[in-house]
Amino acid sequence: MGKIGVFDSGMGGLNILQALRSLMPTYTYCYLGDNARVPYGNRSFDAVYQFTKECVYNLLAEGCPLVIVACNTASAKALRAIQQNDLQQWQAELAPKGPTLRVLGVLRPTTEIAGNLTRSGHLGLLATRGTVESNSYGIEIERFFPQITLHQQACPLWVPLIEEGRLHGPLTEMAVNECVEALCQRAPSMDAIILACTHFPLLTPVIRRYLPPRIEIIEQGPLVAQALKNYLVKHPDIESSLNQGSTCTYYTTDDPLRFDRNASLFLQENIHSQRFHR
Ligand code: DGL
C-alpha cells in the first residue's frame, strides 16, 4: 500500500500526474491509462461507469489507498456512483483493517475556485461530449457560484486527434477552430475558458490562435495538484498512509511501447510502462 494512483482513459492524465509530481515530488505514484478503450468521451454512462470501476479497483488493489480519477469524463459520469455504490465493499475486501480508501476526481478542485477565474461572470468550458452532456460542471458551479453563467462546448474530435499525436496540421486546426468559434459566438462576454479534459492542454497553442487574447485559458493540472495538497494537509490520517518513494510506475491496458512513445508528448522524461494484467 501507499501509492497515489492516477487514472485516465488514456494519455491525458499524464498532464495531471506531472502537475501532482511537480508540486508533491516525494510521494510514490502509479499511473493507469485505459488506452485499449480510449476515448471514453463519446460513450454511454454505463460503459464509462463499468470501465472506470474496473480501472479504479485495479489501482486500489495494486496498493493505492488514494486514487485520483484524472479523467473529466470519468469524474463526471462515474465517480459519484463509485463513491456511493462500490467503495465500501472494496474497503471491506481490500483493506478491512485500513487504511481508508479514497477516490477523488478533478471536477471539485476546478469548480470550487471557479469564482476566481472570471471577472465578467461568463465562463467557457471545453470538454468531451460525455462531460458536457452530464452537465456535472454546470451543476457544481451553480451550487458554488450561482452568479456565474457557464457556456459549455463539446469537442468530440479532439481526443482521437491527440491520441493519434496530431497536435498540428489542417485537420486539427479545423476541429479546434470549429469548436472555439462556436463557443465564442455563443458567449461574447466570456473572459476565461476551462480546458475540462485532460488531453486538451496539448492543444493550447492551437486553441490560443482562435481565441481573442483577452480570454484566459485555464488548465486543470495545477488546480488539481493544489487541491490535493490542501486535502492531504486536512487529512493527516490519509497522508500518513502514503509512501515517500519519489517514483512512478506506469501501466497501460494496451501496447506499452506505443504508450511510451506517445508519453513523450506529455512528459519531459522517457518512461517504461507495463501492460496491466489482472
Ligand atoms: N481524458 C478524458 C477527459 O478528461 C477524455 C478522454 C476520452 O474521451 O477518453 O475527459
Side-chain angles (χ1 to χ4, degrees):
M1 292 303 261
K3 295 176 260 186
I4 299 178
V6 178
F7 161 65
D8 189 66
S9 57
M11 315 297 299
L14 294 174
N15 275 324
I16 303 287
L17 176 74
Q18 198 176 30
L20 295 174
R21 293 190 76 191
S22 91
L23 192 66
M24 294 169 288
T26 61
Y27 294 120
T28 308
Y29 293 87
C30 182
Y31 184 89
L32 173 59
D34 193 7
N35 299 76
R37 298 185 290 200
V38 73
Y40 282 16
N42 301 327
R43 293 186 191 270
S44 68
F45 175 90
D46 259 9
V48 174
Y49 175 46
Q50 289 308 328
F51 296 170
T52 305
K53 201 164 111 166
E54 226 175 82
C55 291
V56 168
Y57 176 88
N58 286 336
L59 279 171
L60 294 168
E62 194 60 28
C64 304
L66 174 62
V67 172
I68 308 298
V69 176
C71 177
N72 282 270
T73 310
S75 291
K77 296 179 94 160
L79 180 64
R80 174 93 31 106
I82 286 174
Q83 288 167 334
Q84 288 174 353
N85 306 339
D86 306 299
L87 199 51
Q88 203 179 350
Q89 186 191 326
W90 293 345
Q91 178 77 54
E93 182 190 331
L94 298 171
K97 299 194 177 124
T100 307
L101 306 178
R102 302 286 166 134
V103 183
L104 307 174
V106 290
L107 258 87
R108 179 58 70 85
T110 312
T111 53
E112 68 189 3
I113 53 105
N116 304 339
L117 304 178
T118 171
R119 286 178 308 281
S120 69
H122 290 268
L123 200 50
L125 184 116
L126 297 168
T128 64
R129 182 183 293 142
T131 300
V132 169
E133 284 180 358
S134 75
N135 193 31
S136 299
Y137 275 92
I139 294 165
E140 285 275 303
I141 288 181
E142 166 76 22
R143 202 150 66 85
F144 289 116
F145 303 101
Q147 73 282 11
I148 292 181
T149 307
L150 185 68
H151 305 273
Q152 307 186 56
Q153 175 69 42
C155 312
L157 298 179
W158 293 15
V159 171
L161 284 166
I162 294 167
E163 288 279 327
E164 280 302 318
R166 303 272 198 121
L167 305 185
H168 308 281
L171 268 183
T172 306
E173 296 279 333
M174 217 159 38
V176 169
N177 182 24
E178 189 188 27
C179 296
V180 170
E181 201 173 76
L183 179 60
C184 288
Q185 270 173 13
R186 273 192 290 125
S189 308
M190 169 178 77
D191 58 357
I193 289 184
I194 302 171
L195 301 186
C197 172
T198 51
H199 289 65
F200 292 0
L202 286 189
L203 293 181
T204 297
V206 185
I207 298 168
R208 186 74 274 171
R209 274 205 287 285
Y210 295 100
L211 263 190
R214 64 179 176 76
I215 299 183
E216 203 182 332
I217 298 177
I218 316 285
E219 298 187 7
Q220 290 182 301
L223 307 182
V224 174
Q226 189 57 53
L228 183 61
K229 191 171 181 180
N230 299 345
Y231 180 87
L232 292 175
V233 170
K234 275 197 226 135
H235 296 85
D237 53 318
I238 297 171
E239 204 283 332
S240 64
S241 71
L242 299 175
N243 285 344
Q244 307 268 345
S246 306
T247 54
C248 184
T249 318
Y250 296 89
Y251 290 106
T252 171
T253 54
D254 205 355
D255 177 12
L257 287 178
R258 189 177 147 84
F259 185 92
D260 296 351
R261 209 173 40 242
N262 287 349
S264 64
L265 295 173
F266 293 83
L267 302 173
Q268 280 71 56
E269 60 179 313
N270 290 328
I271 61 158
H272 298 287
S273 61
Q274 304 162 46
R275 191 190 292 263
F276 197 89
H277 292 290
R278 188 164 288 278

